[in-house]
Amino acid sequence: MSGPRRWSLRRRLGLWLAASVAALWLAAATVAGLVLRHEIDEVFDSALQEVAQRVLPLAYSELLSREAGDAPQHMAPIGAHREYITYVVRDGAGQVLLQSSDAELMAIPPGLAPGFRTTDRLRTYTEAAVRGTIVVTTAEELGHRAAAVRRAVMALIWPLVALVPIALVGVWLSVRLSLKPVLAFRQAIAARGRGNLTPVAADALPEEMASVAASVNALMERLRGALEAERGFTANSAHELRTPIAAALAQTQRLLAELPEGADRQRARDVASALRRLSRLSEKLLQLAKAEGGGLLAERPAPLGPVLRHVIAEIDRQTDRGPDLAVTIPPDGGPVSDLDPDAFAILARNLIENALKHGAPETPIDVRLSDAGLEVSNRGPVVPADRLAMLLRPFERGPTQADGSGLGLAIAAAVCRGAGLRLDLASPVPGETDGFRVMVHFPAPILTGS
């Protein structure tokens, strides 16, 4: 089961900064709208008052010149236009004397006290003159003011539609450029081979990440020291054991030659057998230390076929099991690889010896070298699927009674990890009902010898 999806730092910064810009823009538009509403109210109230004061002299002249029974006079508009501010002039009794062309549509209520007033739909200003005999009321619809504020605020908000994607792109580019050294640092760590624990260059990192890089390099240095100490101890211990083991084995073999048949001679044989097992174990430990210590790649590529033939010949000379091996090597020398010949010899030898030890008696061991990789398979009992991965651990053994240290596949796995090869285990052998197969895949492209 995969873990929860993680958000990248670039995406988080981009979204948060874009959202912050949008929120600040909206907040600024809201504040601007409130300020604009207040200013518009002042401007339009001033216009209402000015219209009333300009109409008063006209209304007074109209009152003096009118005769009894005259109908209210309507001021004709000059050209077709919409009146946002209308007015009506009444006498002290509320009779309409003069009004603008759209006053009837506005339905300005009578009897308003002097000054500014706000009704459900109108904003009015009333002013009286000549001891209250002339009353002028100017009016404006509240919806007009609201529409003006709304249009002004929308003019501020609409650019946000284009600003958000532009801000996202700008923030993403800025963050990408800013985090480029961090990404390069991450890629440098990811590109490291398994045995490469040298410090990673961190000169271009920003100040906030420099301490993290220093901690990572310090951790790698401590890890490298611990691994070198462990490998050095393993290699030195195995190396130091070779000489006393060889000396003890030689003395035991001499003792075997001198002792007559009997219980003492049998005990000497047991001691010699135990010393041989100890010698093989020390040799395996040396191989494991070499496999885990790096240096598995050669400076120049070379064909692997001759190395495999040498390994087969050496196994035949030491075990007389050469006839049990069905070896297939391309006649042109097989694939050309930059894998160190000694490392490939250790890899092939451990895989073949493992097959010889644990394969069914009197059955051939198939060894195939091709451009795809090295394949070693043997007949024998099926290894359960849950045990296959465990066989790559040191000192792990499958369902077998054969002698062994449990290091062969662990050494092969260590060589493959260090050299960048892929190791696959299969049981039963594909296409068969039993057996065990190990496949070492060479990286592509692979050069072939001519």
Side-chain angles (χ1 to χ4, degrees):
M1 181 181 298
S2 60
R5 181 181 178 184
R6 297 183 181 273
W7 282 47
S8 68
L9 183 59
R10 287 178 296 176
R11 181 177 299 178
R12 288 186 180 183
L13 288 176
L15 291 179
W16 276 109
L17 289 176
S20 300
V21 170
L24 289 175
W25 189 284
L26 289 174
T30 301
V31 173
L34 295 175
V35 174
L36 186 61
R37 177 61 183 265
H38 176 73
E39 295 298 328
I40 286 179
D41 285 342
E42 287 188 351
V43 170
F44 280 99
D45 284 351
S46 177
L48 287 174
Q49 187 175 12
E50 185 175 353
V51 169
Q53 292 174 353
R54 288 182 178 274
V55 169
L56 266 177
L58 297 176
Y60 184 69
S61 299
E62 174 65 18
L63 180 63
L64 293 177
S65 62
R66 67 179 286 126
E67 298 179 359
D70 288 349
Q73 182 177 351
H74 287 76
M75 298 297 295
I78 301 176
H81 70 281
R82 180 181 176 184
E83 288 187 354
Y84 292 107
I85 297 178
T86 62
Y87 62 88
V88 61
V89 181
R90 295 184 175 94
D91 58 16
Q95 182 69 28
V96 176
L97 303 176
L98 179 67
Q99 61 183 7
S100 62
S101 58
D102 290 342
E104 293 181 354
L105 298 178
M106 194 78 73
I108 301 174
L112 296 175
F116 291 100
R117 294 290 182 271
T118 301
T119 66
D120 293 340
R121 59 184 185 83
L122 298 177
R123 175 70 170 174
T124 66
Y125 175 76
T126 303
E127 188 163 330
V130 194
R131 298 181 181 181
T133 58
I134 300 176
V135 179
V136 178
T137 300
T138 56
E140 178 193 8
E141 290 184 345
L142 294 177
H144 174 237
R145 297 191 180 191
V149 174
R150 184 167 57 252
R151 287 192 297 269
V153 172
M154 291 305 297
L156 295 175
I157 294 179
W158 271 115
L160 186 63
V161 178
L163 178 66
V164 169
I166 293 175
L168 279 174
V169 173
V171 169
W172 183 83
L173 289 176
S174 300
V175 173
R176 181 179 179 85
L177 293 176
S178 300
L179 293 181
K180 189 175 181 180
V182 179
L183 297 178
F185 181 76
R186 184 195 67 181
Q187 292 171 358
I189 295 177
R192 292 295 183 91
R194 178 177 176 269
N196 188 357
L197 295 176
T198 57
V200 183
D203 298 336
L205 288 177
E207 181 180 356
E208 292 79 6
M209 292 298 299
S211 58
V212 177
S215 300
V216 170
N217 286 330
L219 177 62
M220 293 174 64
E221 182 64 24
R222 291 195 297 270
L223 181 60
R224 185 170 65 89
L227 290 177
E228 288 180 353
E230 180 182 353
R231 292 165 184 167
F233 174 78
T234 302
N236 292 334
S237 299
H239 181 74
E240 294 296 330
L241 285 174
R242 295 176 70 180
T243 300
I245 291 174
L249 182 58
Q251 293 295 331
T252 305
Q253 290 174 342
R254 183 175 179 179
L255 184 61
L256 278 172
E258 296 174 353
L259 288 175
E261 289 294 338
D264 291 339
R265 187 180 179 89
Q266 183 59 40
R267 284 197 293 272
R269 289 196 187 97
D270 294 340
V271 172
S273 178
L275 289 174
R276 291 190 187 94
R277 289 196 299 272
L278 186 58
S279 178
R280 289 194 296 270
L281 177 60
S282 65
E283 184 68 26
K284 294 294 183 184
L285 290 174
L286 279 174
Q287 293 178 0
L288 182 60
K290 176 177 175 59
E292 293 183 340
L296 303 179
L297 299 179
E299 295 182 359
R300 296 181 180 179
L304 300 180
V307 181
L308 182 58
R309 292 191 185 97
H310 177 75
V311 171
I312 296 297
E314 186 176 4
I315 291 176
D316 183 31
R317 184 173 60 254
Q318 294 177 352
T319 63
D320 295 327
R321 296 287 302 274
D324 296 334
L325 301 177
V327 182
T328 302
I329 300 176
D332 60 358
V336 175
S337 173
D338 59 354
L339 181 61
D340 183 75
D342 290 338
F344 178 70
I346 292 174
L347 171 65
R349 183 181 184 90
N350 279 278
L351 294 181
I352 296 172
E353 288 181 346
N354 184 76
L356 289 172
K357 288 179 182 179
H358 305 297
E362 300 180 358
T363 58
I365 306 300
D366 291 327
V367 180
R368 299 177 183 272
L369 180 65
S370 65
D371 291 345
L374 174 64
E375 177 182 354
V376 179
S377 59
N378 60 270
R379 308 304 294 269
V382 175
V383 180
D386 58 345
R387 294 281 300 173
L388 284 177
M390 299 178 62
L391 295 179
L392 301 179
R393 302 176 183 174
F395 305 106
E396 288 285 347
R397 292 167 52 84
T400 177
Q401 300 299 322
D403 292 336
S405 60
L407 289 174
L409 290 180
I411 294 172
V415 173
C416 290
R417 286 194 301 268
L421 308 178
R422 183 163 59 92
L423 181 67
D424 288 337
L425 307 181
S427 184
V429 176
E432 304 290 343
T433 58
D434 64 349
F436 183 81
R437 189 195 74 172
V438 181
M439 182 70 187
V440 178
H441 299 273
F442 296 144
I446 187 76
L447 301 175
T448 55
S450 57

